[in-house]
Amino acid sequence: MVQELGYLPLALSQAGAYIHVSQYSLSRYLKEYQTKAGYLLSQKWTAGQHDRSVFATWEISFKAIQEKNPKAAELLLVCGFFDHEDIQEELLRRGLKLDKHGMNILGYL
């Protein structure tokens, strides 16, 4: 698995976290990873092996979040838009209060 992910700490960390949370076996995760990496190759992904492994492990995790909680996935996309800028916690708190269903998306704020 380590070799398949290009020995990259970020890819390994993402994969490990997903395996832990989802209770996947290594072989099950590896099959899913190879499917995602195969898709990237079929789309003429021009980046190297390392970029594919990080992107594929991210994609697996993000798709799972999207399926379980679409609002949380939207929040991740918004946070990605802000990149490395400081995001004030108050901004997130106010946004959560404006949810049309009155639900707290993150649960811990």
Side-chain angles (χ1 to χ4, degrees):
M1 176 115 162
V2 173
Q3 183 179 6
E4 184 75 28
L5 297 178
Y7 303 97
L8 290 172
L10 179 56
L12 293 167
S13 176
Q14 290 176 166
Y18 186 83
I19 289 167
H20 175 73
V21 169
S22 64
Q23 304 287 309
Y24 270 29
S25 67
L26 289 176
S27 61
R28 182 177 175 191
Y29 183 85
L30 192 55
K31 285 180 187 176
E32 189 168 345
Y33 169 81
Q34 289 168 335
T35 300
K36 297 291 184 204
Y39 170 77
L40 293 172
L41 286 171
S42 73
Q43 299 301 308
K44 302 199 182 350
W45 180 264
T46 58
Q49 168 68 28
H50 300 278
D51 296 327
R52 278 195 308 274
S53 64
V54 170
F55 184 77
T57 55
W58 163 259
E59 187 72 9
I60 290 169
S61 297
F62 185 76
K63 292 291 183 191
I65 292 167
Q66 245 179 346
E67 288 174 14
K68 283 187 174 184
N69 191 335
K71 290 288 188 185
E74 286 179 32
L75 180 61
L76 278 174
L77 292 174
V78 168
C79 290
F81 172 77
F82 285 113
D83 192 22
H84 64 282
E85 300 297 321
D86 289 337
I87 302 172
Q88 298 295 319
E89 185 177 330
E90 183 60 27
L91 175 68
L92 297 176
R93 286 183 182 276
R94 286 183 187 178
L96 292 173
K97 289 178 186 176
L98 295 176
D99 184 76
K100 65 182 178 183
H101 302 292
M103 296 177 64
N104 184 329
I105 296 170
L106 300 179
Y108 60 85
L109 288 177

